[in-house]
Amino acid sequence: QHFIRGSQSLLSAAGYREGFLWKRGRDNGQFLSRKFVLSEREGALKYFNKNDAKEPKAIMKIEHLNATFQPAKIGNPHGLQITYLKDNSTRNIFVYHEDGKEIVDWFNAIRAARFHYLQVAFPGASDADLVPKLSRNYLKEGYMEKTGPKQTEGFKKRWFTMDDRRLMYFKDPLDAFARGEVFIGSKENSYKVLEGLPPSTQGNHWQHGITIVTPDRKFLFACETEDDQLEWITTFQKVISRPMLPQEYAVEAHFKHKP
C-alpha cells in the first residue's frame, strides 16, 4: 500500500506529468534534452524532439510500458531504460536526469500510471496482485555468442536480455531495437534447455554451449565462462518451468508467424 499512496503525488491528481530528460539518440548515441509527457487520460508516455513540436516523436502505450534503472549500462548514476512494444517488437529508450530525485519521480509516475491502467484492466484483482506487474527488472543480461537458424553462418557475439519470456539479442547493449527475439514458453509446450551444443556444431569461439529447444527449432548459444553458462541455464529453466498464461499463447503465436 505504501507505494501506491506515496506515488499519487508524483502523478498529479490529473494523472499527468511532463518534464525534460536527457535521451540517447537512436542512431548517433548522443544524449539530447527531450520533452516527455505522461498522460493517464491518453494512456501513453510521449516524447517530443522539439519543445514546440505538435506531434510526438513516439507514443508509448502505458499498457506495454516498462521502466528499469540501468546506471551501469547507460553510464549515468540516474540512468533509466524505458521499453515499450512497437508492432509487437521491443523498443528501448535510454534516458537520465542530472537530479536523482527527478528520475525516481519519473519511474514512480510510470508505475503509478501502470497501476491505474491495471486496476481498470483487471477490476477483480487485489492491489497485492497488481503491484508486481507495475514494472519488472530483466531476469538476466549479458554477452553470449549465437548462430543463425541454418547454423552455417558462424557464431557472433551479441548482448542478450531476458525480459519475462522474451529473449532479445542486440549488437550493442544500447541499441534501440533488438536484432531478434526468441519466445521461451514452458516445458508443457515442448520448450527445453540443454547444456552443450549438438556434436556437429562449428564456428563457436566460446566453449560453454547452451541449446534451447522450441517446438519449431533449436537455438544455439555459447558462453565465455562456465559460470555464465550456469547462470543462463538456471534463468532459462526458471522461465520454462513456469506454466504459460493465457495471454502468453497470443505472444507465442505472434512469434511463430514472424517472417
Side-chain angles (χ1 to χ4, degrees), residues 113-125:
R114 291 260 314 147
F115 182 70
H116 297 145
Y117 160 76
L118 290 165
Q119 278 180 315
V120 175
F122 303 100

Side-chain angles (χ1 to χ4, degrees), residues 1-46:
Q1 273 301 326
H2 161 74
F3 147 73
I4 295 143
R5 276 200 305 277
S7 65
Q8 297 296 3
S9 57
L10 300 171
L11 195 65
S12 64
Y16 183 88
R17 179 182 178 90
E18 71 170 68
F20 287 85
L21 296 170
W22 293 97
K23 178 194 163 288
R24 188 179 194 272
R26 187 180 86 184
D27 304 315
N28 61 9
Q30 268 186 304
F31 281 89
L32 295 166
S33 178
R34 293 288 180 252
K35 183 168 103 175
F36 280 77
V37 172
L38 179 63
S39 165
E40 250 178 48
R41 190 173 53 77
E42 294 177 46
L45 172 67
K46 301 182 287 191

Side-chain angles (χ1 to χ4, degrees), residues 195-211:
E195 189 182 322
L197 299 171
S200 57
T201 312
Q202 291 170 337
N204 56 309
H205 149 80
W206 285 347
Q207 295 311 301
H208 306 279
I210 298 175
T211 301

Side-chain angles (χ1 to χ4, degrees), residues 6-129:
S7 65
Q8 297 296 3
S9 57
L10 300 171
L11 195 65
S12 64
Y16 183 88
R17 179 182 178 90
E18 71 170 68
F20 287 85
L21 296 170
W22 293 97
K23 178 194 163 288
R24 188 179 194 272
R26 187 180 86 184
D27 304 315
N28 61 9
Q30 268 186 304
F31 281 89
L32 295 166
S33 178
R34 293 288 180 252
K35 183 168 103 175
F36 280 77
V37 172
L38 179 63
S39 165
E40 250 178 48
R41 190 173 53 77
E42 294 177 46
L45 172 67
K46 301 182 287 191
Y47 81 87
F48 297 81
N49 265 358
K50 295 200 172 65
N51 268 357
D52 52 359
K54 294 278 177 282
E55 291 302 312
K57 185 76 174 106
I59 298 173
M60 307 165 235
K61 286 197 169 118
I62 287 171
E63 177 185 356
H64 300 303
L65 202 57
N66 186 38
T68 177
F69 289 104
Q70 292 275 25
K73 200 200 253 189
I74 293 170
N76 183 284
H78 315 307
L80 193 66
Q81 179 173 349
I82 296 171
T83 58
Y84 66 104
L85 291 181
K86 186 178 178 177
D87 308 324
N88 217 351
S89 289
T90 305
R91 163 82 156 100
N92 294 320
I93 289 191
F94 299 97
V95 297
Y96 72 85
H97 197 282
E98 299 92 334
D99 178 0
K101 181 182 181 307
E102 185 70 14
I103 207 82
V104 169
D105 285 354
W106 270 104
F107 175 74
N108 283 332
I110 289 169
R111 283 174 56 95
R114 291 260 314 147
F115 182 70
H116 297 145
Y117 160 76
L118 290 165
Q119 278 180 315
V120 175
F122 303 100
S126 70
D127 290 358
D129 290 335

